[in-house]
Amino acid sequence: MRLLVVEDEKKVASFLKKGLEEEYYAVDVAYDGEEALHMIEVYEYDLILLDIMLPKVDGMTVLRQIREALNPVPILMLTAKDSVRDIVDGLDSGCDDYLTKPFAFSELLARIRSLLRRDREAKDPVLQVGDLRLFLHTHEVSRGGQNIDLTAKEYALLEYFMRNPNRVLTRTTIAEHVWDYHFDTDTNIIDVYVNFLRKKIDRGFHVKLIHTIRGVGYMLKG
């Protein structure tokens, strides 16, 4: 899943980016509201972490402009402003959750997982396609009862496939959700990682789950 962190304090932004990437998220960072609005217009994000006190364009204005554009992306406000009025203003303006600084990173992760689950009908922390299972809380993957070891990027790619079963995913769509904006679209790295994943997921099984849609992209189908 691809997240955008909007935070002007570079040490905080770096800490969040590193910690979230260790949890298998792809993370972009914007250091002011103007940059954030540009990135949101260009890229598709699964969730945005948004500070209120930002240079150029403040966080509340960014939030309102996102919602005025009818963009339903989940937004988690991160701010030192913790008065009831600030929280109410944020929620009324369209944010989905509100976390005041300082906060425990484990709580941030739990809130992110909660917001991402809201887009799914099922609240079960396990994704399943056929006999392939992915456990969101522990990042474990198994097929037919056999554990499968994946790298962080392989896991992120598989999670995106499993959140979109029976749907053709283009290389562009995969890049937007699994890689950050530094990704070089001229490389074949997506095909390489899909092949890595296919060897681990499908090798030794009669039913193949990862299918190539020639000239378009890939599909996970049970």
Side-chain angles (χ1 to χ4, degrees):
M1 309 299 284
R2 188 173 180 180
L3 313 184
L4 175 63
V5 173
V6 188
E7 169 62 65
D8 64 315
E9 294 185 33
K10 292 192 175 181
K11 286 186 177 180
V12 176
S14 178
F15 166 76
L16 291 173
K17 179 177 173 64
K18 181 179 179 181
L20 292 169
E21 287 177 339
E22 289 174 351
E23 294 295 322
Y24 307 99
Y25 296 109
V27 183
D28 292 341
V29 177
Y31 297 105
D32 61 67
E34 185 177 279
E35 182 184 18
L37 287 170
H38 171 71
M39 294 177 72
I40 293 164
E41 184 177 348
V42 174
Y43 305 109
E44 182 178 352
Y45 292 101
D46 297 291
L47 185 140
I48 297 172
L49 305 180
L50 179 63
D51 190 20
I52 288 182
M53 304 297 291
L54 295 170
K56 296 187 179 180
V57 180
D58 67 88
M60 293 300 294
T61 300
V62 172
L63 172 61
R64 294 188 184 102
Q65 289 192 28
I66 292 172
R67 294 311 186 217
E68 286 170 3
L70 303 181
N71 186 337
V73 60
I75 298 175
L76 173 57
M77 303 293 287
L78 300 178
T79 180
K81 301 178 72 174
D82 59 356
S83 72
V84 173
R85 180 166 183 172
D86 290 327
I87 295 173
V88 170
D89 285 346
L91 294 171
D92 284 345
S93 295
C95 80
D96 298 276
D97 201 355
Y98 202 107
L99 187 59
T100 57
K101 301 175 182 177
F103 52 82
F105 193 70
S106 58
E107 181 180 2
L108 173 65
L109 293 176
R111 288 174 182 264
I112 289 173
R113 289 193 297 266
S114 176
L115 289 175
L116 291 174
R117 284 199 302 269
R118 291 183 188 179
D119 289 337
R120 299 169 51 224
E121 292 183 0
K123 300 293 184 178
D124 192 345
V126 179
L127 301 179
Q128 183 162 354
V129 175
D131 58 350
L132 177 65
R133 306 180 79 196
L134 183 150
F135 299 82
L136 294 169
H137 289 175
T138 62
H139 299 140
E140 294 177 328
V141 175
S142 68
R143 183 169 184 193
Q146 301 178 26
N147 290 331
I148 299 172
D149 292 325
L150 300 178
T151 66
K153 190 58 68 178
E154 289 168 351
Y155 176 91
L157 180 60
L158 180 61
E159 180 184 351
Y160 185 57
F161 274 131
M162 295 189 72
R163 288 182 182 272
N164 297 274
N166 305 311
R167 174 186 168 192
V168 178
L169 301 176
T170 67
R171 290 170 179 81
T172 299
T173 301
I174 293 171
E176 288 179 344
H177 287 269
V178 182
W179 275 265
D180 61 26
Y181 72 93
H182 295 294
F183 177 72
D184 184 355
T185 56
D186 292 329
T187 70
N188 67 337
I189 193 68
I190 291 176
D191 304 299
V192 170
Y193 270 94
V194 170
N195 285 333
F196 287 160
L197 198 56
R198 181 179 272 136
K199 289 177 182 178
K200 294 184 178 182
I201 298 302
D202 283 339
R203 178 177 287 175
F205 292 91
H206 177 68
V207 176
K208 308 304 179 186
L209 299 180
I210 300 176
H211 303 270
T212 300
I213 310 302
R214 193 171 300 277
V216 182
Y218 298 97
M219 176 189 292
L220 183 72
K221 182 178 180 180

